[in-house]
Amino acid sequence: MSRPTNPLISIIVPVYNEQASITAFISKITPLLAPYRYELLFINDGSTDNTEQLICAEQEKSSFITLINFSRNFGKEAALTAGFDHMSGDIGISMDGDLQHPPELISVLIEKWREGYDVVYTVREKRDDESWIKRFATRIFYLVFNKLSQLSLPEDASDFRLLDKKAVAALNKLRERSRFMKGLFSWVGYKSIGVTYMPDERHGGASNWGFTRLFNFALDGITAFSSLPLRIWSYVGIIFALGAFIYGGILIAQTIIFGKDLPGYASLMVAIFFFGGIQLFSLGVIGEYVGRIFNESKNRPLYLVDTILTSEIIDTND
Ligand code: UDP
Ligand code: MG
């Protein structure tokens, strides 16, 4: 396998209100990148704090920093996408700007790439400070996802990854709006390997992920990669229709043999509520998919770039 001996490395960092850690991030990563040819690509995902100013201040010192400003907050997945769209390296490495992804690992990732791997993902070691409920929920999610979709997601793989430029090119072809990046990375394939690491504490600020956001994220992931939740209702429908048919037969037989049997308010109510519930739930599932079809069909851009700032020139993108 022939690899360029001195590859250009694009580090892709989505940032959203990271003023507490961005300067520390840059001063930590810069010496580590010194042996390489590199570009540091920050995607400012509509920060409302001083993140942009702080990055611009760093640009005065380093000519390797590029800043892409979004017109508003589009979410981390969109920011990552923009990074992969705009990078020009032979290798793209995506990582968080809060120093939870140890920059020391970059050299390990590049080493793996040199060995011939096109995708090197990192796997978090278990942390004790995460609540058991969050860990439990994550486990369930991976279990369900891997069962429902044809893909197998490496468990606990983070968004700290290295992609060879051919994997990046493949990824850039996937323009769906509901972007479940972990799934997209898996879908693309290529020769992959995992590297484990222990995540550091957040350097400053707070995580932007609440529990509902994580739940929606999981829902997005599953609906984007599996239509089984839709098909289940056909089976449920068939089973209940069959049951109803048999029970109907029994009722008719009973009426013929034993005569009319009027009392039955409780069982009727239970049946009505039960089937009402099932119908609403299945409609809800269908709705989830219809909503996503609606979203995709609008065909809106995944993100809007306001400005792209490099050290020398300032140009406005369309
Ligand atoms: N981030 C972003 N847009 C968002 C939320 C987060 O670009 O809407 C960035 C954030 O600045 C950080 C990375 O995505 O660099 C991971 O975010 P966070 O630390 O909040 O997530 P966690 O580490 O809890 O997964
Ligand atoms: Mg974080």
Side-chain angles (χ1 to χ4, degrees):
M1 176 135 334
S2 74
R3 298 283 200 204
T5 42
N6 192 14
L8 177 63
I9 292 155
S10 303
I11 308 281
I12 294 162
V13 190
V15 284
Y16 175 59
N17 293 346
E18 292 289 358
Q19 64 177 11
S21 40
I22 199 65
T23 311
F25 174 82
I26 295 174
S27 36
K28 183 152 186 209
I29 202 170
T30 307
L32 290 166
L33 289 173
Y36 305 102
R37 283 199 307 136
Y38 72 94
E39 59 172 356
L40 249 177
L41 215 62
F42 288 101
I43 299 90
N44 173 18
D45 186 13
S47 297
T48 49
D49 64 358
N50 281 324
T51 304
E52 182 183 350
Q53 287 79 346
L54 289 173
I55 295 175
C56 287
E58 293 298 323
Q59 279 186 322
E60 317 255 300
K61 296 181 233 159
S62 161
S63 54
F64 304 120
I65 298 177
T66 301
L67 173 62
I68 299 174
N69 283 310
F70 277 3
S71 63
R72 64 169 171 85
N73 179 261
F74 281 91
K76 180 183 177 183
E77 317 273 308
L80 278 175
T81 306
F84 285 115
D85 284 343
H86 287 85
M87 66 168 249
S88 44
D90 302 297
I91 304 175
I93 298 178
S94 57
M95 61 193 299
D96 289 357
D98 56 6
L99 282 170
Q100 278 189 304
H101 295 158
E104 294 85 3
L105 215 61
I106 289 174
S107 60
V108 180
L109 300 185
I110 295 172
E111 227 18 76
K112 289 282 174 217
W113 175 80
R114 289 224 161 90
E115 285 171 24
Y117 292 99
D118 297 314
V119 177
V120 189
Y121 57 87
T122 62
V123 182
R124 264 169 301 167
E125 297 267 357
K126 290 275 174 294
R127 287 197 65 121
D128 302 328
D129 63 351
E130 278 190 349
S131 67
W132 67 268
I133 194 154
K134 193 173 173 186
R135 272 183 289 168
F136 180 71
T138 327
R139 266 232 69 121
I140 296 281
F141 168 72
Y142 281 105
L143 224 87
V144 171
F145 187 94
N146 290 342
K147 272 261 142 43
L148 292 189
S149 72
Q150 310 309 323
L151 298 170
S152 81
L153 279 193
E155 203 161 312
D156 281 331
S158 68
D159 284 334
F160 185 16
R161 297 179 183 251
L162 176 149
L163 296 190
D164 182 77
K165 70 172 175 215
K166 69 181 171 198
V168 173
L171 184 74
N172 288 349
K173 285 192 193 136
L174 312 180
R175 304 312 287 181
E176 56 223 75
R177 256 120 288 274
S178 48
R179 296 191 80 69
F180 180 63
M181 292 302 267
K182 287 180 213 281
L184 297 182
F185 286 131
S186 287
W187 189 90
V188 162
Y190 292 105
K191 202 174 169 207
S192 313
I193 193 170
V195 168
T196 54
Y197 75 100
M198 178 61 82
D200 294 326
E201 295 279 343
R202 224 175 185 291
H203 183 78
S207 170
N208 298 304
W209 293 90
F211 214 80
T212 35
R213 202 162 171 185
L214 280 176
F215 181 76
N216 287 331
F217 187 68
L219 206 63
D220 270 342
I222 288 170
T223 49
F225 284 92
S226 169
S227 55
L228 198 65
L230 281 175
R231 208 172 323 138
I232 281 174
W233 299 107
S234 314
Y235 297 125
V236 172
I238 289 170
I239 289 168
F240 276 109
L242 243 149
F245 192 73
I246 294 167
Y247 187 54
I250 293 172
L251 280 186
I252 290 170
Q254 264 184 351
T255 316
I256 291 170
I257 299 165
F258 302 110
K260 282 203 180 84
D261 174 22
L262 207 49
Y265 176 76
S267 54
L268 258 181
M269 288 313 277
V270 168
I272 288 172
F273 281 130
F274 180 67
F275 287 107
I278 286 200
Q279 279 168 10
L280 282 179
F281 187 63
S282 60
L283 266 180
V285 173
I286 295 168
E288 287 292 328
Y289 282 89
V290 173
R292 279 163 179 81
I293 296 169
F294 178 57
N295 254 340
E296 297 291 339
S297 65
K298 281 185 287 193
N299 218 12
R300 289 183 183 157
L302 296 174
Y303 55 84
L304 289 174
V305 172
D306 179 11
T307 48
I308 298 183
L309 309 176
T310 55
S311 295
E312 290 85 22
I313 33 156
I314 298 174
D315 60 70
T316 315
N317 210 38
D318 43 24

